Amino acid sequence: MRRFKKLEFIAGILLTGTMVLLVMFSGLLFPDGGEAMDLSARLARPGVDWAHILGTDPIGRDVLARVIVGGRISLLVGVFSVTGAMVVGTIMGLVAGYYGKFWDTILMRWADVQLALPFILVAMTFTAILGADLWNLIVFMAISQWVQYARVVRGSVLTLRDREFVQSARSFGVRDWNILLHHLLPNVFGPVLILVTLNVANNILLESSLTFLGLGIDPIIPSWGGMLADGRSYMQTAWWISVFPGLAIMATVLGLNLLGDWLRDFLDPTAKV
Amino acid sequence: MLGFLIRRVLQAAFVVLVVTLLVAWAVRLSGDPAVMLTQGAGSVTAKDLANIRTGLGLDRPFSAQYLGFLGGMLTGDMGRSFIGGTSVGLLIRHALPLTILLAVVSLALSIAASIPLGIHAAVKRGGTADQVIRILSLVGLSFPNFWLGLMLVLIFGINLGWLPPSGAGEVSGIVMPAATLAIILTATNVRLVRSTMLDTLSQQYIMVARSKGLKQRVVLYRHALRNCAIPLVTYIGLQFGGLIGGVVVVERVFNWPGMGSLAFDAVSSRDYPVLQAVVTVLAALIVTVNLAVDVAYGLLDPRIRSE
């Protein structure tokens, strides 16, 4: 079991690391940004020509280049949306858990409202109104997910705030913000980190779904969801356009899920899930 | 118990009320529907626009429009679509059963698969089967549902030609959308079954049942599974919102004419009355399911009521 856990960790690091490095250096690997059109090789099959090892799309663009360049959008959305949600949610959770009463009630009732709405529907409504755009999408995601962090942090703070180390700090006259920052925040780090890992994975999936539906990123910018939407019309003749971007999503998200899972066991060895 | 019931119903009603308010407000943010309706219609005078607004009831103050919308939702009159003037209530009555059908069939398939798999993983905890199930469930959580849908279409619709690639016209049309959703759901549910089963199997009455010499199958499915049922129903009920979110996307892949397709068409044509109604009805549905699960749990487990 233990050896297996280690393998899980190594696989997670390898998958995530490879994808992140490829995407980070995509500018060096593919200076044309995946936009170069090889009109003599339209809809080339994968594995035939070394220049287009994963084939080309209907206007002769290299699928491998576009898959790697397209990863930028996914990682950007994943990282920024989760950072936003984490910062806001952690602060709200700390305040609600520590001061309790009024703020706590407001927070928990608001959380009920947000949990009743599937993200996809909210995103649809707001995209219809504000238009599809990278930053709009990041902001929607942060707004719809901060509640998760707030709940986790609130839960931990509730169990921590009456513990001896907090009480003794208080009895020394340590200020509230100092207690929150130096005594409580480090103790909620673990659960928040797990949530971050799993939510980056989840948001990459959400972004690709919305872009696939035409509600996310502008289709002109290469992105995994956008490529899959294009590939859908060519499924009869060119399967590779809709297979490889999906595999890229899977590799990235699986890597993150493996890491998140490992982290959960690492931080809480008694958990059985 | 009555107090608990009243409190939960009031909470649920509050949530739905806030959702309707948010949606109505968001729709109002979006600009003047009269202008959007007349786009590309040639010469439009201010008087024409005013007439359209009066016709749609948009000249009334926000509070009156909102109350009108609420009243309409309660009596089933949800206004008319901007496109073609079809009754929104009628559109919803066609789409909602199809969405619920898809959700229920996928959920049933997923439960049928995850219970035996989860129990097997729990019994052989740490063994090869457990690890394989664990890894498969992680993989299942790692791709977008629409992509799985596309891959099923590619394999079974195009290459093998066994199933129609889309539509709700024939009975076989439901196979691929339901399978797509069920596979993704099973990835989560298998883990739930496994962990609740592990909790249950460590209880003393299981040891007693075993020591009586009962068969493994009887111990697992008669004694243990029944006691897993309560937490499982709760978890699965809580996932209902996520399930509806998934259905909305998968409907689009397979052109399944449910609420997701309706919402999607409404978004692309800026048909706000339809979008507003779809979001409200789905939110109300999710809140109702969560409420039902909570109340059922409260009935079955007295410890929850007092919380």
Side-chain angles (χ1 to χ4, degrees), chain A residues 1 4-5 8 128-129 209 212-213 228 232 242-243 246 250 254 257-258 261 265 272-273, chain B residues 26 30 131 134 138 142-144 146-147 151 191 194-195 199 252-253 264 270 272 282 287:
Chain A
M1 192 69 184
F4 193 82
K5 282 270 124 205
E8 207 176 291
I129 292 156
S209 299
F212 173 75
L213 293 171
L228 289 171
R232 194 184 172 194
S242 39
V243 169
M250 199 172 109
L254 180 62
N257 279 340
L258 283 167
D261 222 41
D265 290 349
K272 283 182 290 289
V273 179
Chain B
S30 59
Q131 303 296 7
R134 182 188 162 94
L138 263 185
S142 301
F143 41 74
F146 71 88
W147 185 65
M151 292 303 102
R191 301 178 138 218
R194 176 183 179 272
S195 68
D199 277 341
R252 198 63 204 162
V253 176
F264 190 80
R270 313 227 153 196
Y272 295 118
L282 287 182
V287 170

mmCIF file of all heavy atoms in Angstrom, chain A residues 1 4-5 8 128-129 209 212-213 228 232 242-243 246 250 254 257-258 261 265 272-273, chain B residues 26 30 131 134 138 142-144 146-147 151 191 194-195 199 252-253 264 270 272 282 287:
data_model
loop_
_atom_site.group_PDB
_atom_site.id
_atom_site.type_symbol
_atom_site.label_atom_id
_atom_site.label_comp_id
_atom_site.label_asym_id
_atom_site.label_seq_id
_atom_site.Cartn_x
_atom_site.Cartn_y
_atom_site.Cartn_z
ATOM 1 N N MET A 1 0.836 -1.201 0.000
ATOM 2 C CA MET A 1 0.000 0.000 0.000
ATOM 3 C C MET A 1 0.872 1.252 0.000
ATOM 4 O O MET A 1 0.675 2.171 -0.770
ATOM 5 C CB MET A 1 -0.886 -0.030 1.241
ATOM 6 C CG MET A 1 -2.010 0.996 1.229
ATOM 7 S SD MET A 1 -3.254 0.600 -0.004
ATOM 8 C CE MET A 1 -4.323 2.013 0.150
ATOM 9 N N PHE A 4 2.683 1.731 -3.165
ATOM 10 C CA PHE A 4 1.730 2.146 -4.175
ATOM 11 C C PHE A 4 1.479 3.649 -4.108
ATOM 12 O O PHE A 4 1.402 4.338 -5.110
ATOM 13 C CB PHE A 4 0.437 1.381 -3.971
ATOM 14 C CG PHE A 4 -0.472 1.499 -5.130
ATOM 15 C CD1 PHE A 4 -0.297 0.694 -6.239
ATOM 16 C CD2 PHE A 4 -1.478 2.436 -5.133
ATOM 17 C CE1 PHE A 4 -1.114 0.818 -7.328
ATOM 18 C CE2 PHE A 4 -2.309 2.562 -6.218
ATOM 19 C CZ PHE A 4 -2.124 1.749 -7.315
ATOM 20 N N LYS A 5 1.359 4.156 -2.891
ATOM 21 C CA LYS A 5 1.154 5.590 -2.652
ATOM 22 C C LYS A 5 2.281 6.402 -3.261
ATOM 23 O O LYS A 5 2.083 7.458 -3.832
ATOM 24 C CB LYS A 5 1.106 5.856 -1.144
ATOM 25 C CG LYS A 5 -0.199 5.492 -0.509
ATOM 26 C CD LYS A 5 -1.121 6.659 -0.548
ATOM 27 C CE LYS A 5 -2.377 6.245 -1.241
ATOM 28 N NZ LYS A 5 -3.125 7.245 -1.856
ATOM 29 N N GLU A 8 1.969 6.634 -6.873
ATOM 30 C CA GLU A 8 0.918 7.577 -7.205
ATOM 31 C C GLU A 8 1.489 9.005 -7.205
ATOM 32 O O GLU A 8 1.221 9.797 -8.105
ATOM 33 C CB GLU A 8 -0.180 7.460 -6.146
ATOM 34 C CG GLU A 8 -1.530 7.842 -6.635
ATOM 35 C CD GLU A 8 -2.566 7.599 -5.559
ATOM 36 O OE1 GLU A 8 -2.837 6.425 -5.250
ATOM 37 O OE2 GLU A 8 -3.106 8.580 -5.023
ATOM 38 N N ALA A 128 -24.073 35.072 -21.212
ATOM 39 C CA ALA A 128 -25.082 35.632 -22.109
ATOM 40 C C ALA A 128 -25.130 37.148 -21.934
ATOM 41 O O ALA A 128 -25.378 37.886 -22.877
ATOM 42 C CB ALA A 128 -26.446 35.029 -21.819
ATOM 43 N N ILE A 129 -24.877 37.587 -20.698
ATOM 44 C CA ILE A 129 -25.029 39.007 -20.401
ATOM 45 C C ILE A 129 -23.734 39.791 -20.636
ATOM 46 O O ILE A 129 -23.742 40.842 -21.265
ATOM 47 C CB ILE A 129 -25.502 39.164 -18.953
ATOM 48 C CG1 ILE A 129 -26.933 38.631 -18.860
ATOM 49 C CG2 ILE A 129 -25.442 40.596 -18.502
ATOM 50 C CD1 ILE A 129 -27.305 38.190 -17.497
ATOM 51 N N SER A 209 -15.094 22.715 -20.789
ATOM 52 C CA SER A 209 -16.515 22.491 -21.102
ATOM 53 C C SER A 209 -17.158 23.767 -21.631
ATOM 54 O O SER A 209 -17.867 23.748 -22.633
ATOM 55 C CB SER A 209 -17.304 22.056 -19.866
ATOM 56 O OG SER A 209 -16.806 20.862 -19.363
ATOM 57 N N PHE A 212 -15.856 24.655 -25.042
ATOM 58 C CA PHE A 212 -16.431 23.706 -25.996
ATOM 59 C C PHE A 212 -17.846 24.142 -26.381
ATOM 60 O O PHE A 212 -18.245 24.080 -27.539
ATOM 61 C CB PHE A 212 -16.451 22.311 -25.377
ATOM 62 C CG PHE A 212 -17.172 21.287 -26.214
ATOM 63 C CD1 PHE A 212 -16.586 20.767 -27.349
ATOM 64 C CD2 PHE A 212 -18.429 20.854 -25.858
ATOM 65 C CE1 PHE A 212 -17.248 19.834 -28.120
ATOM 66 C CE2 PHE A 212 -19.104 19.921 -26.622
ATOM 67 C CZ PHE A 212 -18.511 19.409 -27.755
ATOM 68 N N LEU A 213 -18.620 24.602 -25.375
ATOM 69 C CA LEU A 213 -19.995 25.027 -25.633
ATOM 70 C C LEU A 213 -20.069 26.400 -26.283
ATOM 71 O O LEU A 213 -21.155 26.874 -26.597
ATOM 72 C CB LEU A 213 -20.775 25.062 -24.323
ATOM 73 C CG LEU A 213 -21.028 23.719 -23.652
ATOM 74 C CD1 LEU A 213 -21.616 23.922 -22.281
ATOM 75 C CD2 LEU A 213 -21.962 22.878 -24.508
ATOM 76 N N LEU A 228 -11.522 21.036 -29.316
ATOM 77 C CA LEU A 228 -12.495 19.943 -29.313
ATOM 78 C C LEU A 228 -13.778 20.358 -30.023
ATOM 79 O O LEU A 228 -14.393 19.558 -30.728
ATOM 80 C CB LEU A 228 -12.786 19.502 -27.880
ATOM 81 C CG LEU A 228 -11.633 18.762 -27.214
ATOM 82 C CD1 LEU A 228 -11.899 18.542 -25.743
ATOM 83 C CD2 LEU A 228 -11.408 17.423 -27.894
ATOM 84 N N ARG A 232 -15.144 18.473 -33.438
ATOM 85 C CA ARG A 232 -16.426 17.781 -33.447
ATOM 86 C C ARG A 232 -17.018 17.671 -34.847
ATOM 87 O O ARG A 232 -17.637 16.667 -35.206
ATOM 88 C CB ARG A 232 -17.381 18.552 -32.542
ATOM 89 C CG ARG A 232 -18.598 17.789 -32.204
ATOM 90 C CD ARG A 232 -19.528 18.643 -31.410
ATOM 91 N NE ARG A 232 -20.789 17.941 -31.264
ATOM 92 C CZ ARG A 232 -21.880 18.518 -30.851
ATOM 93 N NH1 ARG A 232 -21.875 19.784 -30.529
ATOM 94 N NH2 ARG A 232 -22.986 17.832 -30.751
ATOM 95 N N SER A 242 -10.114 15.602 -32.372
ATOM 96 C CA SER A 242 -10.873 15.596 -31.123
ATOM 97 C C SER A 242 -10.321 14.615 -30.094
ATOM 98 O O SER A 242 -10.830 14.571 -28.974
ATOM 99 C CB SER A 242 -12.354 15.331 -31.383
ATOM 100 O OG SER A 242 -12.522 14.373 -32.377
ATOM 101 N N VAL A 243 -9.306 13.840 -30.446
ATOM 102 C CA VAL A 243 -8.749 12.904 -29.455
ATOM 103 C C VAL A 243 -7.615 13.545 -28.654
ATOM 104 O O VAL A 243 -7.615 13.519 -27.429
ATOM 105 C CB VAL A 243 -8.268 11.604 -30.141
ATOM 106 C CG1 VAL A 243 -7.446 10.761 -29.171
ATOM 107 C CG2 VAL A 243 -9.465 10.793 -30.629
ATOM 108 N N GLY A 246 -8.210 16.218 -25.848
ATOM 109 C CA GLY A 246 -8.837 15.546 -24.711
ATOM 110 C C GLY A 246 -7.813 14.789 -23.882
ATOM 111 O O GLY A 246 -7.843 14.819 -22.655
ATOM 112 N N MET A 250 -6.762 15.260 -20.011
ATOM 113 C CA MET A 250 -6.745 14.135 -19.087
ATOM 114 C C MET A 250 -5.402 14.015 -18.378
ATOM 115 O O MET A 250 -5.351 13.806 -17.165
ATOM 116 C CB MET A 250 -7.066 12.862 -19.838
ATOM 117 C CG MET A 250 -7.512 11.754 -18.941
ATOM 118 S SD MET A 250 -8.085 10.388 -19.921
ATOM 119 C CE MET A 250 -6.779 9.282 -19.604
ATOM 120 N N LEU A 254 -5.434 14.453 -14.493
ATOM 121 C CA LEU A 254 -5.113 13.232 -13.754
ATOM 122 C C LEU A 254 -3.900 13.458 -12.858
ATOM 123 O O LEU A 254 -3.878 13.046 -11.690
ATOM 124 C CB LEU A 254 -4.866 12.068 -14.720
ATOM 125 C CG LEU A 254 -4.524 10.729 -14.075
ATOM 126 C CD1 LEU A 254 -5.665 10.251 -13.202
ATOM 127 C CD2 LEU A 254 -4.218 9.673 -15.129
ATOM 128 N N ASN A 257 -5.050 15.408 -9.908
ATOM 129 C CA ASN A 257 -5.882 14.581 -9.027
ATOM 130 C C ASN A 257 -5.037 13.598 -8.228
ATOM 131 O O ASN A 257 -5.294 13.361 -7.050
ATOM 132 C CB ASN A 257 -6.937 13.830 -9.827
ATOM 133 C CG ASN A 257 -8.135 14.703 -10.155
ATOM 134 O OD1 ASN A 257 -8.360 15.730 -9.509
ATOM 135 N ND2 ASN A 257 -8.900 14.318 -11.146
ATOM 136 N N LEU A 258 -4.033 13.011 -8.895
ATOM 137 C CA LEU A 258 -3.141 12.077 -8.185
ATOM 138 C C LEU A 258 -2.419 12.800 -7.058
ATOM 139 O O LEU A 258 -2.334 12.302 -5.929
ATOM 140 C CB LEU A 258 -2.115 11.482 -9.153
ATOM 141 C CG LEU A 258 -2.602 10.378 -10.095
ATOM 142 C CD1 LEU A 258 -1.579 10.115 -11.181
ATOM 143 C CD2 LEU A 258 -2.872 9.096 -9.313
ATOM 144 N N ASP A 261 -4.879 13.629 -4.226
ATOM 145 C CA ASP A 261 -5.213 12.411 -3.505
ATOM 146 C C ASP A 261 -4.081 12.001 -2.566
ATOM 147 O O ASP A 261 -4.295 11.639 -1.408
ATOM 148 C CB ASP A 261 -5.400 11.304 -4.545
ATOM 149 C CG ASP A 261 -6.575 10.441 -4.226
ATOM 150 O OD1 ASP A 261 -7.606 11.012 -3.816
ATOM 151 O OD2 ASP A 261 -6.447 9.221 -4.357
ATOM 152 N N ASP A 265 -3.978 11.902 1.717
ATOM 153 C CA ASP A 265 -3.516 10.797 2.560
ATOM 154 C C ASP A 265 -2.310 11.200 3.386
ATOM 155 O O ASP A 265 -2.149 10.786 4.524
ATOM 156 C CB ASP A 265 -3.145 9.589 1.692
ATOM 157 C CG ASP A 265 -4.367 8.971 1.077
ATOM 158 O OD1 ASP A 265 -5.476 9.358 1.503
ATOM 159 O OD2 ASP A 265 -4.231 8.133 0.187
ATOM 160 N N LYS A 272 -9.883 7.179 4.944
ATOM 161 C CA LYS A 272 -9.982 5.925 4.205
ATOM 162 C C LYS A 272 -10.307 6.126 2.739
ATOM 163 O O LYS A 272 -10.257 5.198 1.965
ATOM 164 C CB LYS A 272 -11.034 5.020 4.859
ATOM 165 C CG LYS A 272 -10.508 4.363 6.116
ATOM 166 C CD LYS A 272 -11.524 3.430 6.728
ATOM 167 C CE LYS A 272 -12.715 4.105 7.343
ATOM 168 N NZ LYS A 272 -12.530 4.828 8.565
ATOM 169 N N VAL A 273 -10.680 7.340 2.373
ATOM 170 C CA VAL A 273 -11.071 7.542 0.971
ATOM 171 C C VAL A 273 -9.820 7.652 0.099
ATOM 172 O O VAL A 273 -8.900 8.362 0.468
ATOM 173 C CB VAL A 273 -11.919 8.819 0.830
ATOM 174 C CG1 VAL A 273 -12.298 9.018 -0.632
ATOM 175 C CG2 VAL A 273 -13.172 8.683 1.660
ATOM 176 N N ALA B 26 -29.603 39.935 -12.851
ATOM 177 C CA ALA B 26 -28.580 39.717 -13.879
ATOM 178 C C ALA B 26 -29.175 39.951 -15.264
ATOM 179 O O ALA B 26 -28.553 40.579 -16.118
ATOM 180 C CB ALA B 26 -28.020 38.299 -13.778
ATOM 181 N N SER B 30 -28.470 43.153 -18.488
ATOM 182 C CA SER B 30 -27.983 42.808 -19.814
ATOM 183 C C SER B 30 -28.374 43.810 -20.880
ATOM 184 O O SER B 30 -27.998 43.663 -22.016
ATOM 185 C CB SER B 30 -28.522 41.444 -20.183
ATOM 186 O OG SER B 30 -29.916 41.534 -20.136
ATOM 187 N N GLN B 131 -6.855 -1.345 -5.756
ATOM 188 C CA GLN B 131 -5.999 -0.354 -6.403
ATOM 189 C C GLN B 131 -6.459 -0.053 -7.822
ATOM 190 O O GLN B 131 -6.464 1.107 -8.235
ATOM 191 C CB GLN B 131 -4.540 -0.840 -6.446
ATOM 192 C CG GLN B 131 -3.944 -1.186 -5.101
ATOM 193 C CD GLN B 131 -3.849 0.000 -4.177
ATOM 194 O OE1 GLN B 131 -4.342 1.087 -4.477
ATOM 195 N NE2 GLN B 131 -3.233 -0.200 -3.027
ATOM 196 N N ARG B 134 -9.499 2.060 -7.653
ATOM 197 C CA ARG B 134 -9.118 3.393 -7.204
ATOM 198 C C ARG B 134 -8.532 4.217 -8.343
ATOM 199 O O ARG B 134 -8.912 5.371 -8.563
ATOM 200 C CB ARG B 134 -8.092 3.213 -6.085
ATOM 201 C CG ARG B 134 -7.587 4.456 -5.443
ATOM 202 C CD ARG B 134 -6.459 4.046 -4.514
ATOM 203 N NE ARG B 134 -5.646 5.165 -4.159
ATOM 204 C CZ ARG B 134 -5.852 5.882 -3.047
ATOM 205 N NH1 ARG B 134 -6.794 5.573 -2.206
ATOM 206 N NH2 ARG B 134 -5.082 6.903 -2.782
ATOM 207 N N LEU B 138 -10.018 7.524 -10.340
ATOM 208 C CA LEU B 138 -9.276 8.787 -10.521
ATOM 209 C C LEU B 138 -9.230 9.192 -11.992
ATOM 210 O O LEU B 138 -9.426 10.357 -12.331
ATOM 211 C CB LEU B 138 -7.844 8.635 -10.016
ATOM 212 C CG LEU B 138 -7.542 9.128 -8.613
ATOM 213 C CD1 LEU B 138 -6.063 9.006 -8.329
ATOM 214 C CD2 LEU B 138 -7.987 10.564 -8.437
ATOM 215 N N SER B 142 -10.949 12.559 -14.363
ATOM 216 C CA SER B 142 -9.926 13.410 -14.957
ATOM 217 C C SER B 142 -10.186 13.815 -16.400
ATOM 218 O O SER B 142 -9.318 14.393 -17.027
ATOM 219 C CB SER B 142 -8.557 12.732 -14.879
ATOM 220 O OG SER B 142 -8.250 12.484 -13.536
ATOM 221 N N PHE B 143 -11.345 13.466 -16.965
ATOM 222 C CA PHE B 143 -11.610 14.067 -18.267
ATOM 223 C C PHE B 143 -12.977 14.724 -18.258
ATOM 224 O O PHE B 143 -13.838 14.380 -17.475
ATOM 225 C CB PHE B 143 -11.455 13.089 -19.432
ATOM 226 C CG PHE B 143 -11.988 11.726 -19.190
ATOM 227 C CD1 PHE B 143 -13.348 11.500 -19.184
ATOM 228 C CD2 PHE B 143 -11.126 10.660 -18.983
ATOM 229 C CE1 PHE B 143 -13.839 10.235 -18.977
ATOM 230 C CE2 PHE B 143 -11.610 9.399 -18.768
ATOM 231 C CZ PHE B 143 -12.975 9.182 -18.758
ATOM 232 N N PRO B 144 -13.148 15.719 -19.148
ATOM 233 C CA PRO B 144 -14.435 16.403 -19.182
ATOM 234 C C PRO B 144 -15.518 15.467 -19.718
ATOM 235 O O PRO B 144 -15.229 14.647 -20.602
ATOM 236 C CB PRO B 144 -14.210 17.573 -20.139
ATOM 237 C CG PRO B 144 -12.908 17.372 -20.788
ATOM 238 C CD PRO B 144 -12.191 16.254 -20.129
ATOM 239 N N PHE B 146 -17.996 15.983 -21.638
ATOM 240 C CA PHE B 146 -18.345 16.111 -23.055
ATOM 241 C C PHE B 146 -17.345 15.364 -23.931
ATOM 242 O O PHE B 146 -17.697 14.815 -24.962
ATOM 243 C CB PHE B 146 -18.440 17.586 -23.459
ATOM 244 C CG PHE B 146 -17.137 18.309 -23.526
ATOM 245 C CD1 PHE B 146 -16.393 18.301 -24.687
ATOM 246 C CD2 PHE B 146 -16.646 19.004 -22.433
ATOM 247 C CE1 PHE B 146 -15.182 18.965 -24.764
ATOM 248 C CE2 PHE B 146 -15.444 19.672 -22.496
ATOM 249 C CZ PHE B 146 -14.708 19.643 -23.663
ATOM 250 N N TRP B 147 -16.079 15.310 -23.471
ATOM 251 C CA TRP B 147 -15.067 14.597 -24.269
ATOM 252 C C TRP B 147 -15.335 13.088 -24.266
ATOM 253 O O TRP B 147 -15.242 12.425 -25.293
ATOM 254 C CB TRP B 147 -13.655 14.904 -23.745
ATOM 255 C CG TRP B 147 -12.577 14.305 -24.601
ATOM 256 C CD1 TRP B 147 -12.307 14.642 -25.907
ATOM 257 C CD2 TRP B 147 -11.659 13.274 -24.246
ATOM 258 N NE1 TRP B 147 -11.259 13.883 -26.365
ATOM 259 C CE2 TRP B 147 -10.835 13.034 -25.369
ATOM 260 C CE3 TRP B 147 -11.437 12.535 -23.080
ATOM 261 C CZ2 TRP B 147 -9.820 12.084 -25.363
ATOM 262 C CZ3 TRP B 147 -10.426 11.592 -23.080
ATOM 263 C CH2 TRP B 147 -9.624 11.370 -24.213
ATOM 264 N N MET B 151 -15.938 10.747 -27.461
ATOM 265 C CA MET B 151 -15.209 9.497 -27.712
ATOM 266 C C MET B 151 -16.178 8.330 -27.900
ATOM 267 O O MET B 151 -15.966 7.462 -28.744
ATOM 268 C CB MET B 151 -14.235 9.204 -26.565
ATOM 269 C CG MET B 151 -13.065 10.169 -26.455
ATOM 270 S SD MET B 151 -12.057 10.279 -27.947
ATOM 271 C CE MET B 151 -12.620 11.797 -28.672
ATOM 272 N N ARG B 191 -16.068 5.546 -4.877
ATOM 273 C CA ARG B 191 -15.273 5.943 -3.702
ATOM 274 C C ARG B 191 -16.164 6.106 -2.476
ATOM 275 O O ARG B 191 -15.771 5.769 -1.370
ATOM 276 C CB ARG B 191 -14.561 7.257 -3.981
ATOM 277 C CG ARG B 191 -13.660 7.165 -5.156
ATOM 278 C CD ARG B 191 -13.024 8.493 -5.416
ATOM 279 N NE ARG B 191 -11.629 8.265 -5.733
ATOM 280 C CZ ARG B 191 -10.639 9.038 -5.348
ATOM 281 N NH1 ARG B 191 -10.862 10.098 -4.632
ATOM 282 N NH2 ARG B 191 -9.409 8.745 -5.677
ATOM 283 N N ARG B 194 -17.178 2.646 -1.248
ATOM 284 C CA ARG B 194 -16.037 1.998 -0.618
ATOM 285 C C ARG B 194 -15.823 2.544 0.798
ATOM 286 O O ARG B 194 -15.677 1.772 1.747
ATOM 287 C CB ARG B 194 -14.783 2.222 -1.466
ATOM 288 C CG ARG B 194 -13.527 1.664 -0.852
ATOM 289 C CD ARG B 194 -12.320 1.979 -1.712
ATOM 290 N NE ARG B 194 -11.100 1.467 -1.109
ATOM 291 C CZ ARG B 194 -10.359 2.153 -0.229
ATOM 292 N NH1 ARG B 194 -10.753 3.350 0.159
ATOM 293 N NH2 ARG B 194 -9.272 1.617 0.270
ATOM 294 N N SER B 195 -15.823 3.873 0.945
ATOM 295 C CA SER B 195 -15.482 4.403 2.267
ATOM 296 C C SER B 195 -16.598 4.189 3.289
ATOM 297 O O SER B 195 -16.321 3.871 4.447
ATOM 298 C CB SER B 195 -15.090 5.875 2.179
ATOM 299 O OG SER B 195 -16.197 6.641 1.849
ATOM 300 N N ASP B 199 -16.370 1.773 6.809
ATOM 301 C CA ASP B 199 -16.862 2.160 8.141
ATOM 302 C C ASP B 199 -17.778 1.083 8.704
ATOM 303 O O ASP B 199 -17.659 0.676 9.848
ATOM 304 C CB ASP B 199 -17.665 3.472 8.049
ATOM 305 C CG ASP B 199 -16.743 4.677 8.074
ATOM 306 O OD1 ASP B 199 -15.591 4.516 8.524
ATOM 307 O OD2 ASP B 199 -17.180 5.754 7.634
ATOM 308 N N ARG B 252 -25.993 18.833 -24.775
ATOM 309 C CA ARG B 252 -25.524 19.590 -25.922
ATOM 310 C C ARG B 252 -24.743 18.708 -26.898
ATOM 311 O O ARG B 252 -24.875 18.833 -28.104
ATOM 312 C CB ARG B 252 -24.648 20.725 -25.393
ATOM 313 C CG ARG B 252 -24.414 21.834 -26.351
ATOM 314 C CD ARG B 252 -25.700 22.513 -26.710
ATOM 315 N NE ARG B 252 -25.555 23.171 -27.996
ATOM 316 C CZ ARG B 252 -26.576 23.549 -28.740
ATOM 317 N NH1 ARG B 252 -27.805 23.335 -28.331
ATOM 318 N NH2 ARG B 252 -26.377 24.140 -29.881
ATOM 319 N N VAL B 253 -23.924 17.813 -26.334
ATOM 320 C CA VAL B 253 -23.098 16.941 -27.180
ATOM 321 C C VAL B 253 -23.983 16.024 -28.015
ATOM 322 O O VAL B 253 -23.708 15.752 -29.179
ATOM 323 C CB VAL B 253 -22.135 16.107 -26.317
ATOM 324 C CG1 VAL B 253 -21.335 15.138 -27.174
ATOM 325 C CG2 VAL B 253 -21.206 17.011 -25.534
ATOM 326 N N PHE B 264 -29.076 26.589 -23.614
ATOM 327 C CA PHE B 264 -28.014 26.944 -24.536
ATOM 328 C C PHE B 264 -28.552 27.762 -25.713
ATOM 329 O O PHE B 264 -27.983 28.784 -26.086
ATOM 330 C CB PHE B 264 -27.324 25.679 -25.035
ATOM 331 C CG PHE B 264 -26.093 25.987 -25.795
ATOM 332 C CD1 PHE B 264 -24.915 26.278 -25.140
ATOM 333 C CD2 PHE B 264 -26.122 26.036 -27.180
ATOM 334 C CE1 PHE B 264 -23.783 26.604 -25.850
ATOM 335 C CE2 PHE B 264 -24.990 26.360 -27.894
ATOM 336 C CZ PHE B 264 -23.817 26.637 -27.229
ATOM 337 N N ARG B 270 -30.069 35.142 -26.939
ATOM 338 C CA ARG B 270 -30.381 36.156 -25.915
ATOM 339 C C ARG B 270 -31.866 36.159 -25.562
ATOM 340 O O ARG B 270 -32.478 37.209 -25.421
ATOM 341 C CB ARG B 270 -29.979 37.548 -26.392
ATOM 342 C CG ARG B 270 -28.602 37.561 -26.966
ATOM 343 C CD ARG B 270 -27.823 38.709 -26.427
ATOM 344 N NE ARG B 270 -26.406 38.378 -26.449
ATOM 345 C CZ ARG B 270 -25.492 39.019 -25.787
ATOM 346 N NH1 ARG B 270 -25.850 40.012 -25.009
ATOM 347 N NH2 ARG B 270 -24.240 38.679 -25.856
ATOM 348 N N TYR B 272 -33.986 35.970 -22.984
ATOM 349 C CA TYR B 272 -33.896 36.015 -21.528
ATOM 350 C C TYR B 272 -35.052 35.379 -20.763
ATOM 351 O O TYR B 272 -34.822 34.752 -19.742
ATOM 352 C CB TYR B 272 -33.646 37.452 -21.051
ATOM 353 C CG TYR B 272 -32.307 37.933 -21.515
ATOM 354 C CD1 TYR B 272 -32.184 39.014 -22.367
ATOM 355 C CD2 TYR B 272 -31.158 37.261 -21.127
ATOM 356 C CE1 TYR B 272 -30.939 39.426 -22.812
ATOM 357 C CE2 TYR B 272 -29.915 37.658 -21.570
ATOM 358 C CZ TYR B 272 -29.810 38.753 -22.408
ATOM 359 O OH TYR B 272 -28.585 39.141 -22.852
ATOM 360 N N LEU B 282 -34.470 24.851 -12.600
ATOM 361 C CA LEU B 282 -33.438 23.883 -12.222
ATOM 362 C C LEU B 282 -32.954 24.121 -10.793
ATOM 363 O O LEU B 282 -32.744 23.166 -10.040
ATOM 364 C CB LEU B 282 -32.265 23.924 -13.205
ATOM 365 C CG LEU B 282 -32.541 23.305 -14.577
ATOM 366 C CD1 LEU B 282 -31.303 23.354 -15.441
ATOM 367 C CD2 LEU B 282 -33.031 21.862 -14.455
ATOM 368 N N VAL B 287 -32.775 22.385 -5.144
ATOM 369 C CA VAL B 287 -33.065 22.694 -3.745
ATOM 370 C C VAL B 287 -34.087 21.700 -3.192
ATOM 371 O O VAL B 287 -33.956 21.218 -2.066
ATOM 372 C CB VAL B 287 -33.565 24.147 -3.617
ATOM 373 C CG1 VAL B 287 -34.093 24.421 -2.227
ATOM 374 C CG2 VAL B 287 -32.450 25.110 -3.935
#
